[in-house]
mmCIF file with all atom_site columns, all heavy atoms in Angstrom:
data_model
loop_
_atom_site.group_PDB
_atom_site.id
_atom_site.type_symbol
_atom_site.label_atom_id
_atom_site.label_alt_id
_atom_site.label_comp_id
_atom_site.label_asym_id
_atom_site.label_entity_id
_atom_site.label_seq_id
_atom_site.pdbx_PDB_ins_code
_atom_site.Cartn_x
_atom_site.Cartn_y
_atom_site.Cartn_z
_atom_site.occupancy
_atom_site.B_iso_or_equiv
_atom_site.pdbx_formal_charge
_atom_site.auth_seq_id
_atom_site.auth_comp_id
_atom_site.auth_asym_id
_atom_site.auth_atom_id
_atom_site.pdbx_PDB_model_num
ATOM 1  N N   . SER A 1 17 ? -9.761  7.398  19.681 1.00 0.00 ? 17 SER A N   1
ATOM 2  C CA  . SER A 1 17 ? -9.221  7.281  21.038 1.00 0.00 ? 17 SER A CA  1
ATOM 3  C C   . SER A 1 17 ? -9.779  8.386  21.904 1.00 0.00 ? 17 SER A C   1
ATOM 4  O O   . SER A 1 17 ? -10.141 8.127  23.074 1.00 0.00 ? 17 SER A O   1
ATOM 5  C CB  . SER A 1 17 ? -7.686  7.352  20.980 1.00 0.00 ? 17 SER A CB  1
ATOM 6  O OG  . SER A 1 17 ? -7.145  6.282  20.210 1.00 0.00 ? 17 SER A OG  1
ATOM 7  N N   . ALA A 1 18 ? -9.800  9.641  21.418 1.00 0.00 ? 18 ALA A N   1
ATOM 8  C CA  . ALA A 1 18 ? -10.360 10.710 22.137 1.00 0.00 ? 18 ALA A CA  1
ATOM 9  C C   . ALA A 1 18 ? -11.856 10.540 22.434 1.00 0.00 ? 18 ALA A C   1
ATOM 10 O O   . ALA A 1 18 ? -12.354 10.851 23.569 1.00 0.00 ? 18 ALA A O   1
ATOM 11 C CB  . ALA A 1 18 ? -10.139 12.036 21.397 1.00 0.00 ? 18 ALA A CB  1
ATOM 12 N N   . ALA A 1 19 ? -12.569 10.005 21.457 1.00 0.00 ? 19 ALA A N   1
ATOM 13 C CA  . ALA A 1 19 ? -14.007 9.713  21.620 1.00 0.00 ? 19 ALA A CA  1
ATOM 14 C C   . ALA A 1 19 ? -14.256 8.717  22.722 1.00 0.00 ? 19 ALA A C   1
ATOM 15 O O   . ALA A 1 19 ? -15.049 8.862  23.631 1.00 0.00 ? 19 ALA A O   1
ATOM 16 C CB  . ALA A 1 19 ? -14.623 9.291  20.307 1.00 0.00 ? 19 ALA A CB  1
ATOM 17 N N   . LEU A 1 20 ? -13.477 7.636  22.702 1.00 0.00 ? 20 LEU A N   1
ATOM 18 C CA  . LEU A 1 20 ? -13.597 6.584  23.746 1.00 0.00 ? 20 LEU A CA  1
ATOM 19 C C   . LEU A 1 20 ? -13.320 7.225  25.106 1.00 0.00 ? 20 LEU A C   1
ATOM 20 O O   . LEU A 1 20 ? -14.063 6.923  26.074 1.00 0.00 ? 20 LEU A O   1
ATOM 21 C CB  . LEU A 1 20 ? -12.565 5.446  23.486 1.00 0.00 ? 20 LEU A CB  1
ATOM 22 C CG  . LEU A 1 20 ? -13.063 4.322  22.638 1.00 0.00 ? 20 LEU A CG  1
ATOM 23 C CD1 . LEU A 1 20 ? -11.955 3.336  22.374 1.00 0.00 ? 20 LEU A CD1 1
ATOM 24 C CD2 . LEU A 1 20 ? -14.291 3.587  23.207 1.00 0.00 ? 20 LEU A CD2 1
ATOM 25 N N   . LEU A 1 21 ? -12.193 7.997  25.205 1.00 0.00 ? 21 LEU A N   1
ATOM 26 C CA  . LEU A 1 21 ? -11.881 8.578  26.544 1.00 0.00 ? 21 LEU A CA  1
ATOM 27 C C   . LEU A 1 21 ? -12.990 9.486  27.040 1.00 0.00 ? 21 LEU A C   1
ATOM 28 O O   . LEU A 1 21 ? -13.390 9.444  28.191 1.00 0.00 ? 21 LEU A O   1
ATOM 29 C CB  . LEU A 1 21 ? -10.580 9.396  26.330 1.00 0.00 ? 21 LEU A CB  1
ATOM 30 C CG  . LEU A 1 21 ? -10.108 10.167 27.579 1.00 0.00 ? 21 LEU A CG  1
ATOM 31 C CD1 . LEU A 1 21 ? -9.791  9.246  28.763 1.00 0.00 ? 21 LEU A CD1 1
ATOM 32 C CD2 . LEU A 1 21 ? -8.924  11.072 27.214 1.00 0.00 ? 21 LEU A CD2 1
ATOM 33 N N   . CYS A 1 22 ? -13.520 10.311 26.157 1.00 0.00 ? 22 CYS A N   1
ATOM 34 C CA  . CYS A 1 22 ? -14.543 11.287 26.527 1.00 0.00 ? 22 CYS A CA  1
ATOM 35 C C   . CYS A 1 22 ? -15.918 10.654 26.882 1.00 0.00 ? 22 CYS A C   1
ATOM 36 O O   . CYS A 1 22 ? -16.503 11.051 27.893 1.00 0.00 ? 22 CYS A O   1
ATOM 37 C CB  . CYS A 1 22 ? -14.705 12.337 25.433 1.00 0.00 ? 22 CYS A CB  1
ATOM 38 S SG  . CYS A 1 22 ? -13.312 13.406 25.206 1.00 0.00 ? 22 CYS A SG  1
ATOM 39 N N   . VAL A 1 23 ? -16.329 9.627  26.149 1.00 0.00 ? 23 VAL A N   1
ATOM 40 C CA  . VAL A 1 23 ? -17.593 9.050  26.429 1.00 0.00 ? 23 VAL A CA  1
ATOM 41 C C   . VAL A 1 23 ? -17.570 8.138  27.631 1.00 0.00 ? 23 VAL A C   1
ATOM 42 O O   . VAL A 1 23 ? -18.550 7.933  28.386 1.00 0.00 ? 23 VAL A O   1
ATOM 43 C CB  . VAL A 1 23 ? -18.203 8.380  25.209 1.00 0.00 ? 23 VAL A CB  1
ATOM 44 C CG1 . VAL A 1 23 ? -18.391 9.304  24.085 1.00 0.00 ? 23 VAL A CG1 1
ATOM 45 C CG2 . VAL A 1 23 ? -17.381 7.154  24.793 1.00 0.00 ? 23 VAL A CG2 1
ATOM 46 N N   . LEU A 1 24 ? -16.393 7.488  27.828 1.00 0.00 ? 24 LEU A N   1
ATOM 47 C CA  . LEU A 1 24 ? -16.251 6.560  29.010 1.00 0.00 ? 24 LEU A CA  1
ATOM 48 C C   . LEU A 1 24 ? -15.958 7.322  30.297 1.00 0.00 ? 24 LEU A C   1
ATOM 49 O O   . LEU A 1 24 ? -16.232 6.888  31.406 1.00 0.00 ? 24 LEU A O   1
ATOM 50 C CB  . LEU A 1 24 ? -15.168 5.543  28.710 1.00 0.00 ? 24 LEU A CB  1
ATOM 51 C CG  . LEU A 1 24 ? -15.513 4.530  27.581 1.00 0.00 ? 24 LEU A CG  1
ATOM 52 C CD1 . LEU A 1 24 ? -14.333 3.584  27.384 1.00 0.00 ? 24 LEU A CD1 1
ATOM 53 C CD2 . LEU A 1 24 ? -16.789 3.751  27.894 1.00 0.00 ? 24 LEU A CD2 1
ATOM 54 N N   . ALA A 1 25 ? -15.346 8.530  30.145 1.00 0.00 ? 25 ALA A N   1
ATOM 55 C CA  . ALA A 1 25 ? -15.004 9.373  31.354 1.00 0.00 ? 25 ALA A CA  1
ATOM 56 C C   . ALA A 1 25 ? -15.359 10.775 30.991 1.00 0.00 ? 25 ALA A C   1
ATOM 57 O O   . ALA A 1 25 ? -14.562 11.606 30.689 1.00 0.00 ? 25 ALA A O   1
ATOM 58 C CB  . ALA A 1 25 ? -13.481 9.249  31.668 1.00 0.00 ? 25 ALA A CB  1
ATOM 59 N N   . PRO A 1 26 ? -16.697 11.115 30.976 1.00 0.00 ? 26 PRO A N   1
ATOM 60 C CA  . PRO A 1 26 ? -17.136 12.438 30.519 1.00 0.00 ? 26 PRO A CA  1
ATOM 61 C C   . PRO A 1 26 ? -16.537 13.584 31.325 1.00 0.00 ? 26 PRO A C   1
ATOM 62 O O   . PRO A 1 26 ? -16.387 14.668 30.788 1.00 0.00 ? 26 PRO A O   1
ATOM 63 C CB  . PRO A 1 26 ? -18.695 12.372 30.777 1.00 0.00 ? 26 PRO A CB  1
ATOM 64 C CG  . PRO A 1 26 ? -19.003 10.924 30.809 1.00 0.00 ? 26 PRO A CG  1
ATOM 65 C CD  . PRO A 1 26 ? -17.830 10.252 31.377 1.00 0.00 ? 26 PRO A CD  1
ATOM 66 N N   . ALA A 1 27 ? -16.039 13.329 32.559 1.00 0.00 ? 27 ALA A N   1
ATOM 67 C CA  . ALA A 1 27 ? -15.506 14.446 33.355 1.00 0.00 ? 27 ALA A CA  1
ATOM 68 C C   . ALA A 1 27 ? -14.234 14.999 32.688 1.00 0.00 ? 27 ALA A C   1
ATOM 69 O O   . ALA A 1 27 ? -13.868 16.116 33.038 1.00 0.00 ? 27 ALA A O   1
ATOM 70 C CB  . ALA A 1 27 ? -15.148 13.923 34.764 1.00 0.00 ? 27 ALA A CB  1
ATOM 71 N N   . VAL A 1 28 ? -13.570 14.214 31.884 1.00 0.00 ? 28 VAL A N   1
ATOM 72 C CA  . VAL A 1 28 ? -12.314 14.740 31.273 1.00 0.00 ? 28 VAL A CA  1
ATOM 73 C C   . VAL A 1 28 ? -12.568 15.420 29.892 1.00 0.00 ? 28 VAL A C   1
ATOM 74 O O   . VAL A 1 28 ? -11.652 15.820 29.215 1.00 0.00 ? 28 VAL A O   1
ATOM 75 C CB  . VAL A 1 28 ? -11.298 13.609 31.083 1.00 0.00 ? 28 VAL A CB  1
ATOM 76 C CG1 . VAL A 1 28 ? -11.071 12.937 32.425 1.00 0.00 ? 28 VAL A CG1 1
ATOM 77 C CG2 . VAL A 1 28 ? -11.711 12.608 30.051 1.00 0.00 ? 28 VAL A CG2 1
ATOM 78 N N   . ALA A 1 29 ? -13.820 15.480 29.468 1.00 0.00 ? 29 ALA A N   1
ATOM 79 C CA  . ALA A 1 29 ? -14.090 15.941 28.076 1.00 0.00 ? 29 ALA A CA  1
ATOM 80 C C   . ALA A 1 29 ? -13.659 17.349 27.902 1.00 0.00 ? 29 ALA A C   1
ATOM 81 O O   . ALA A 1 29 ? -12.975 17.709 26.891 1.00 0.00 ? 29 ALA A O   1
ATOM 82 C CB  . ALA A 1 29 ? -15.590 15.845 27.806 1.00 0.00 ? 29 ALA A CB  1
#
Side-chain angles (χ1 to χ4, degrees):
S17 301
L20 271 176
L21 175 64
C22 292
V23 301
L24 294 177
V28 307

